[in-house]
Structures are given as C-alpha cells and as structure tokens.
C-alpha cells in the first residue's frame, strides 16, 4: 500500500540521499519524539545487540548488513521497505530503502555519530551508532505504544 502523502515530498536532505534513501514524507507526526528515541539509544543501561570493530576489514559493509538484519528482525522496516529517520529540525522523515541504500553513509565522521531508524508506527527502533572503536546496533521497543 502506498502512502499518498509521500508523492510530493521535498528534495531529500544530502545526508539521506548520500545513504541511498528515497525520501517520501517530511514532518511525520503522532510518534515518539526524536529526543525520546535518542534517550532510548543513548543511556548507561543500553547494551548493543551486536557490535562491529570500526577498524575491521569490510566494517562498513558488515555494519550495513547487521543493521538491516536487526531492523528487519525488529520489524522496523515495513513490507514496502519504509521506515522513519531523523530529518532536519529533528522531525521524523519517512524514507524507503533502495538498491543503493548504505546506512553507514549517513553517519558523520567521528565517534558518537548515529542513525536512529523508527518503525512507521513508532513502536520500535533500530539504531546504528559509533561508540569509541565500534559500531553498535541497538534495538528498542516503546512499551507504552500498543502492538
């Protein structure tokens, strides 16, 4: 099913386009705030589902592969390949994976960069973060949003 709001989306942000994501809609509302998603990913109690050493051979490709695996397992990506990411002004932007999607390309150079992807219904997220010398994969479910 195609989201009719997606047909006249503005031009994609450079970071999202660089990651090979097709921007479908900006300012998606009725979801947990980006600040809430950020707190679910960045806190002392978070343990990654998996890690990849940033200096390992093929680390970027392995990070993209593992993110996709965890995002699919957690049902962050819908049947059409769509999910939400942070856009400008910390709003949620609905995007679609393409044959050229490489989420690592959306990371900014340097430790501490992250990409938080949220399911279109706002119930689950899967984040790819840089933590010191590793890429971390964090999955979270918002308990107060019914399934």
């Amino acid at each position: 099913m195609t989201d009719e709001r997606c047909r006249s989306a503005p031009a994609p942000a450079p970071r999202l386009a660089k990651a090979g994501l097709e921007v479908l809609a900006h300012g998606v509302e009725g979801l947990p705030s980006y600040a809430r998603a950020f707190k679910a990913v960045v806190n002392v109690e978070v343990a990654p589902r998996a890690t990849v050493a940033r200096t390992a051979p093929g680390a970027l490709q392995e990070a993209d592969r593992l993110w996709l695996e965890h995002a699919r397992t957690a049902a962050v990506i819908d049947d059409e390949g769509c999910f939400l990411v942070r856009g400008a002004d910390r709003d949620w932007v609905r995007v679609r994976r393409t044959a050229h999607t490489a989420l690592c390309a959306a990371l900014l150079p340097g430790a501490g960069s992250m990409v938080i992807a949220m399911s279109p219904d706002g119930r689950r997220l899967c984040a790819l973060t840089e933590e010191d010398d590793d890429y971390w994969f964090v999955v979270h479910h918002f308990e107060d949003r019914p399934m």
Side-chain angles (χ1 to χ4, degrees):
M1 176 168 56
T2 301
D3 186 343
E4 293 301 320
R5 297 173 298 155
C6 300
R7 294 191 185 264
S8 60
R15 191 168 68 109
L16 300 179
K18 182 178 178 184
L21 297 169
E22 176 187 0
V23 174
L24 303 174
H26 289 265
V28 180
E29 297 179 359
L31 301 164
S33 68
Y34 181 80
R36 185 169 178 215
F38 181 86
K39 288 177 186 174
V41 172
V42 181
N43 71 65
V44 295
E45 297 177 8
V46 169
R49 291 276 173 104
T51 64
V52 172
R54 290 174 49 202
T55 57
L60 290 175
Q61 293 81 8
E62 180 64 3
D64 281 327
R65 186 192 71 75
L66 281 173
W67 176 84
L68 182 59
E69 177 183 308
H70 287 285
R72 283 182 171 156
T73 301
V76 169
I77 302 171
D78 71 13
D79 293 340
E80 295 179 3
C82 296
F83 56 96
L84 305 167
V85 294
R86 177 186 159 201
D89 303 324
R90 295 190 181 203
D91 60 342
W92 290 110
V93 176
R94 183 175 168 89
V95 296
R96 179 180 295 125
R97 289 188 70 248
T98 69
H100 307 289
T101 297
L103 203 65
C104 282
L107 293 172
L108 301 174
S113 184
M114 74 179 67
V115 177
I116 300 175
M118 184 179 293
S119 62
D121 61 11
R123 294 178 178 146
R124 297 162 302 280
L125 66 77
C126 182
L128 167 59
T129 72
E130 289 183 349
E131 300 292 333
D132 298 319
D133 296 328
D134 298 318
Y135 292 113
W136 280 26
F137 307 89
V138 177
V139 175
H140 178 78
H141 174 255
F142 291 100
E143 297 295 331
D144 60 339
R145 293 188 64 89
M147 293 300 280

